[in-house]
Amino acid sequence: MTALSDEPEITADTFVDADRADPVVTSPTATSTRFLGAILPGVGLAAAIAAAAFGLRQLPGLGAFSPMIIAILIGILFHNLIGTPVVAKAGVGFSMRRILRFAIILLGLQLTAAQVIEVGGTGVAIIIATLLSTFTFTVWCGRKLGVERKLAELIAAGTSICGASAVIATNTVTNAHDEDVAYAVACVTIFGSIAMFAYPFLGPLFGLGPHAFGLWTGASVHEIAQVVAAAYQNGAEAGEFGTIAKLSRVMMLAPVVLGLGILARERLATSGNSGVRAPIPWFVLGFIALVGVNSLVDIPEAAKSEIALATTFLLSMALAAMGLETDVRKLMAKGLHPALLGLLAFLFISTFSLTLVKLFF
């Protein structure tokens, strides 16, 4: 399995006649038709898996899990038990890149500047301090454990920001192997699920009020769905504040991914790889722009709900596509050290954020 960056990105310009010496003049309509025909099987397969994930989520016991998580599991099972058809490869790659980036841009419509203001200066400071400390600790700990840098960065992003969404967004600049993405998603799913069930019991034990518990949950639990499930167990007030705190944390996705893109370019430059350029995730600027739009324009709640559903579906398609490129044998070959890293990152973000909440909130 190769890294995502090792495979050429499929675009309409890919479809030219390379066997002829003379330029081939093709109409834009013909080129677009060939392009759509090439990606349709893979995109359709990813969409079918995403739809299945939404359906399975209605079963008892699965409602607490994001359809993104279910989608990547289905994709992995399909690829390793049946095999991803060759005809679907182009569309799978398209789903992992173009559809993913578009979905991340749409995430901006779920956030507003007013939500960050509602968390308050102290709450935002706790969220930022927790995020930066957890990311730094996880990358450092990964080096000590001998975990590959790219995989450590994915686990760090998923733990410190927003779970699977952060993992796949970070991979646009990290360019790790698909197995690394799957491993990181597995880590944030497992440990986020543990937090989802444990936090409601721990909150009263630590004497946390509704706002303090909501902030702790929003600042440290991995996935948005897991935050909602955990925070609302201690009442509507805790649930609402926890959700807002989590969305404020999601907003940090943009500067983190942009920063990692800049660091990746500098790393390549200092290593002498002047002919290779790490991508700058310009799509993150679209994410920021839509946050601005959502802050200034009164979008009807019904429309925002539909957009949020579509965004989750597109992210599920991207993760399904990653599952369709993931070899379980390579996943298992990575051993238990990355899982230990995920555990240590989870313990760190939980205790660090709890300490700050108890001290300052």
Side-chain angles (χ1 to χ4, degrees):
M1 188 60 55
T2 58
L4 295 181
S5 60
D6 294 337
E7 299 176 2
E9 185 167 355
I10 304 299
T11 67
D13 295 333
T14 306
F15 299 95
V16 296
D17 193 340
D19 297 327
R20 295 183 56 177
D22 298 327
V24 177
V25 179
T26 57
S27 69
T29 302
T31 302
S32 298
T33 300
R34 294 175 65 188
F35 171 62
L36 290 174
I39 67 169
L40 190 57
V43 171
L45 179 59
I49 292 175
F54 270 77
L56 287 172
R57 194 166 176 266
Q58 306 306 312
L59 297 177
L62 294 181
F65 294 97
S66 164
M68 294 184 287
I69 306 303
I70 301 173
I72 194 173
L73 291 175
I74 297 174
I76 291 172
L77 289 172
F78 187 96
H79 178 70
N80 289 274
L81 297 178
I82 299 174
T84 304
V86 174
V87 71
K89 292 290 185 180
V92 167
F94 183 86
S95 299
M96 288 191 295
R97 296 177 181 87
R98 296 298 182 89
I99 290 179
L100 166 63
R101 292 167 187 170
F102 181 64
I104 292 171
I105 291 172
L106 288 179
L107 273 175
L109 289 176
Q110 298 183 31
L111 308 168
T112 66
Q115 289 172 330
V116 178
I117 294 173
E118 190 173 342
V119 174
T122 302
V124 171
I126 289 173
I127 290 170
I128 294 175
T130 299
L131 189 157
L132 294 176
S133 299
T134 301
F135 193 97
T136 303
F137 169 82
T138 306
V139 173
W140 172 83
C141 198
R143 286 199 300 268
K144 296 298 181 180
L145 291 173
V147 177
E148 295 174 359
R149 175 184 57 80
K150 293 181 178 182
L151 176 53
E153 286 183 356
L154 294 182
I155 294 173
T159 302
S160 63
I161 309 174
C162 56
S165 299
V167 170
I168 57 180
T170 301
N171 197 51
T172 60
V173 293
T174 300
N175 290 319
H177 292 272
D178 299 330
E179 288 76 24
D180 290 344
V181 174
Y183 206 125
V185 169
C187 283
V188 299
T189 302
I190 291 170
F191 298 118
S193 298
I194 291 173
M196 178 179 66
F197 290 110
Y199 272 39
F201 297 100
L202 296 175
L205 185 65
F206 293 133
L208 299 179
H211 274 207
F213 178 74
L215 179 59
W216 180 43
T217 305
S220 60
V221 178
H222 302 45
E223 291 275 350
I224 293 177
Q226 294 165 346
V227 170
V228 172
Y232 272 96
Q233 290 298 312
N234 282 17
E237 187 178 355
E240 291 170 5
F241 197 79
T243 302
I244 293 170
K246 177 61 175 179
L247 291 175
S248 301
R249 183 172 151 210
V250 172
M251 198 175 290
M252 310 303 170
L253 178 66
V256 170
V257 174
L258 280 172
L260 287 174
I262 294 170
L263 287 175
R265 290 172 75 91
E266 292 180 351
R267 190 182 293 120
L268 286 172
T270 55
S271 66
N273 273 324
S274 56
V276 181
R277 294 291 185 92
I280 292 293
W282 299 115
F283 64 91
V284 172
L285 298 181
F287 169 90
I288 296 172
L290 287 191
V291 172
V293 169
N294 197 32
S295 301
L296 299 173
V297 179
D298 188 15
I299 301 174
E301 286 299 322
K304 289 170 68 173
S305 178
E306 293 297 326
I307 293 170
L309 182 63
T311 302
T312 303
F313 186 83
L314 293 175
L315 288 171
S316 299
M317 284 182 62
L319 276 168
M322 288 180 182
L324 291 169
E325 290 287 308
T326 300
D327 190 326
V328 169
R329 290 171 298 181
K330 292 184 178 180
L331 193 62
M332 295 176 64
K334 295 185 178 296
L336 293 178
H337 280 189
L340 177 59
L341 177 62
L343 172 61
L344 293 174
F346 162 59
L347 293 175
F348 179 89
I349 195 171
S350 297
T351 55
F352 187 86
S353 59
L354 177 62
T355 301
L356 292 183
V357 169
K358 293 287 287 184
L359 285 175
F360 300 108
F361 196 78

